[in-house]
Amino acid sequence: MSELVICFNNKDPYPWKKALQDALPKSTIHVWENGQHYEQACMALCWLPNEDILNTMPNLQLLQSVGAGVDFLFKLDLGEHPPRIARVVDNSLSQDMFEFLLGLLLSNMKRLGYYQMQQGKKQWSPQSYRRIEQTKITIVGLGQIGSYIATKLHQLGFQVSGYAQTKKNLVGIHCFDAAEGFDASVHQADYVVNVLPLTDATQGFYNKERFTAFKSSSIFINIGRGGHVVDKDLIEALDIRQVSEAYLDVFHQEPLASTHPFWTHPKVHITPHIAGVTSTEATVKQIVANFLAIQGGKALVNEVSVKKGY
Ligand code: GLV
């Protein structure tokens, strides 16, 4: 039982197979194929895996996410004796997400998308713009990535608040918790940025009621998971100007179906789940460590609580 199976959808498995094979020359690394069985597999490395992978690996001990999120692993039928679950922690991923967010914020604050449209119409139309020091941002979700992003934005001079279920302490950032309430954390924010983990408790978090707490000129940015949002409630909030624009990088179903109303909504900006993509070089070591640990009965790196779901 010393084989590893790569189970990816929407992601190229072959660079990972090569990196793992180079690091583990004596082990067998498979790329999962429908109809195959992997009796010897102790670990599956996953990104949006097919629903039935567990039936094809009867001796599996570890489901390893290749991303920071593990939500898609909890959608599998884990059974009575679930395998253990781990994720990757990649500081370059937090930095990538911060850079993506910063690009998006500055482009919006300085109206760059608007000028691109105006250029198409040969229109010279200067607009007012927002400055960093005047801009209030609330980061919803203060785990590893959220805390990193909040701190970086604060260091640049933005006015940053944060929201997390439990109390967090971050220098220079007003951290709200469930007792102080989500509504209080967002009601002054120009930008509300979602980086919550997706669990049963946070599924559909952004619903009609929560959007009501936003100030009406606010902009919603989702770089967490699509499952956090009730899509029809967001569309309604945009239509009634409860939220002024939405930048969405993640969706319930990816790729986003061509029939989804987000594609053509004038206040929605779509990117294809690109805010942060785990780098092979940065994470292959922790994946290899877990492959060896699971066989040697040792502690895992970045293990996730199967009970809590993150
Ligand atoms: C990206 O979405 C990740 O979970 O790493």
Side-chain angles (χ1 to χ4, degrees):
M1 283 201 291
S2 57
E3 297 182 359
L4 188 154
V5 186
I6 303 176
C7 311
F8 287 2
N9 278 305
N10 286 352
K11 192 179 188 73
D12 181 4
Y14 291 98
W16 290 88
K17 179 168 162 55
K18 175 164 184 338
L20 288 166
Q21 198 66 79
D22 288 350
L24 297 162
K26 297 209 178 99
S27 303
T28 306
I29 316 290
H30 299 277
V31 171
W32 191 84
E33 278 178 53
N34 212 347
Q36 296 293 317
H37 264 76
Y38 305 93
E39 297 284 331
Q40 302 299 316
C42 62
M43 172 167 170
L45 179 65
C46 302
W47 181 252
L48 312 178
N50 284 28
E51 268 170 24
D52 59 344
I53 58 159
L54 290 174
N55 300 331
T56 68
M57 292 180 256
N59 297 306
L60 191 76
Q61 294 172 55
L62 174 62
L63 278 169
Q64 168 80 54
S65 169
V66 78
V70 286
D71 46 292
F72 50 82
L73 297 176
F74 285 97
K75 283 194 193 141
L76 301 172
D77 182 3
L78 296 174
E80 273 180 32
H81 302 288
R84 291 162 76 184
I85 296 189
R87 66 195 194 104
V88 294
V89 172
D90 172 1
N91 279 335
S92 54
L93 184 83
S94 306
Q95 174 67 20
D96 288 353
M97 291 183 74
F98 162 67
E99 289 179 14
F100 177 86
L101 177 62
L102 184 62
L104 201 151
L105 287 167
L106 288 174
S107 161
N108 184 273
M109 288 160 60
K110 305 299 175 191
R111 312 269 185 110
L112 301 186
Y114 174 79
Y115 296 126
Q116 195 156 17
M117 270 170 22
Q118 295 308 97
Q119 182 177 345
K121 296 189 242 163
K122 300 188 179 167
Q123 295 276 339
W124 183 271
S125 171
Q127 303 289 308
S128 63
Y129 53 82
R130 219 191 272 277
R131 295 201 174 87
I132 287 185
E133 62 181 25
Q134 306 165 322
T135 302
K136 297 191 171 85
I137 303 183
T138 299
I139 305 294
V140 183
L142 294 172
Q144 187 113 9
I145 293 171
S147 304
Y148 184 89
I149 288 175
T151 302
K152 285 282 198 180
L153 291 173
H154 163 68
Q155 287 165 352
L156 285 177
F158 287 97
Q159 298 180 41
V160 186
S161 300
Y163 175 82
Q165 185 70 15
T166 53
K167 192 77 189 161
K168 298 278 157 69
N169 285 304
L170 296 171
V171 177
I173 295 165
H174 186 154
C175 298
F176 292 80
D177 61 9
E180 280 173 278
F182 171 81
D183 293 8
S185 78
V186 296
H187 92 263
Q188 291 193 346
D190 301 307
Y191 296 88
V192 178
V193 181
N194 177 51
V195 275
L196 283 168
L198 184 62
T199 63
D200 287 347
T202 62
Q203 180 80 31
F205 185 87
Y206 296 91
N207 56 18
K208 191 174 173 147
E209 202 187 319
R210 287 217 168 81
F211 285 126
T212 308
F214 286 39
K215 75 171 183 189
S216 58
S217 57
S218 65
I219 292 170
F220 176 59
I221 300 175
N222 190 7
I223 51 173
R225 285 287 186 260
H228 289 127
V229 178
V230 179
D231 291 356
K232 70 167 184 24
D233 291 1
L234 174 58
I235 289 174
E236 188 188 318
L238 290 163
D239 289 344
I240 62 170
R241 297 166 191 260
Q242 180 62 52
V243 173
S244 83
E245 283 176 83
Y247 286 82
L248 307 176
D249 186 54
V250 285
F251 303 90
H252 282 265
Q253 190 200 330
E254 295 179 5
L256 183 64
S258 61
T259 51
H260 198 291
F262 281 158
W263 280 116
T264 48
H265 197 288
K267 295 180 180 169
V268 173
H269 309 273
I270 291 175
T271 47
H273 199 147
I274 201 65
V277 177
T278 318
S279 119
T280 319
E281 304 85 74
T283 54
V284 81
K285 253 195 182 157
Q286 45 189 290
I287 295 167
V288 167
N290 275 354
F291 181 64
L292 300 175
I294 202 83
Q295 294 172 74
K298 304 230 170 72
L300 297 174
V301 190
N302 301 319
E303 185 165 10
V304 163
S305 155
V306 174
K307 211 166 131 208
K308 285 202 277 183
Y310 65 94

